[in-house]
Amino acid sequence: MKSALVTGGTRGIGLSICRALIERGYAVTATYLHSEKDAEEAQKRLPAARFIKADVADEQSVKEAIAQMSQIDLLVNNAGISLYKQVQDIAAREWDEVFSVNAKGAFLCCKHAVKKMIARQSGAIVNISSVWGQTGGSCESAYSASKGALIAFTKALAKELAPSCITVNCVCPGVIETQMNARFSQAELSALREEIPLGRLGTGEEVAAAVLFLAENRYVTGQILGVNGGFVI
């Protein structure tokens, strides 16, 4: 049985990815950090998964989480936080926090997970970026920059790990129905729908399907796959 590690796996896109992987036959370990309630609810929904508390921005925490797994066939770097502020209102500590989770977190998880993959000369990494990492989002400069960094990291790491038969790819979701987008009003969501050629928001299940494709195709690496309804073409 293949083993997968999904960061930020207790809700939204992360939970959908965990569910899809379990249905595909993976043994899934997922991390969370803040909400014990979310973890308990996720465990009820997915009793086959294992949920462990870990801070992806802390190297020791990442090492301890990965040490609990005998092998890792797939790493999905999904954990992320957003920040919606005009640039002049962003505190330096807020900028650092966004990068610590969204960019540094993926780096730390890759750093320690690939040791197990290289030893077996096999593995797949899928990073979850964002459409704003491709185009930039107004009032989301920190978030956009961190997700853009994740895209560049994906491309560089794909070249580095290809000789070890490890694929590295990136999914860039568009506007997906998750709690992260709860800050938008109905009027704002309606305006966003009008900008999406398919005329609707995406689902976590549609993002998970893209992750599965990239996880299992052994001749696709270094690619940035948009799941956005045509929002960015």
Side-chain angles (χ1 to χ4, degrees), residues 8-28:
T10 59
R11 62 182 184 175
I13 290 172
L15 187 62
S16 295
I17 292 170
C18 290
R19 181 181 294 110
L21 290 171
I22 289 170
E23 291 174 353
R24 190 59 66 92
Y26 283 78
V28 174

Side-chain angles (χ1 to χ4, degrees), residues 31-45:
T31 71
Y32 70 98
L33 179 56
H34 295 297
S35 178
E36 296 290 346
K37 182 179 179 180
D38 284 345
E40 291 172 3
E41 183 61 31
Q43 191 69 77
K44 291 177 183 177
R45 293 183 180 183

Side-chain angles (χ1 to χ4, degrees), residues 69-111:
M69 302 181 67
S70 59
Q71 73 178 57
I72 300 177
D73 298 285
L74 169 64
L75 168 64
V76 182
N77 285 307
N78 171 72
I81 58 174
S82 62
L83 182 67
Y84 190 75
K85 281 187 175 183
Q86 292 183 316
V87 68
Q88 68 268 26
D89 297 325
I90 298 173
R93 60 171 179 77
E94 292 177 312
W95 180 279
D96 289 344
E97 183 181 8
V98 170
F99 267 79
S100 288
V101 177
N102 296 356
K104 179 185 174 184
F107 153 68
L108 289 175
C109 290
C110 287
K111 174 183 176 179

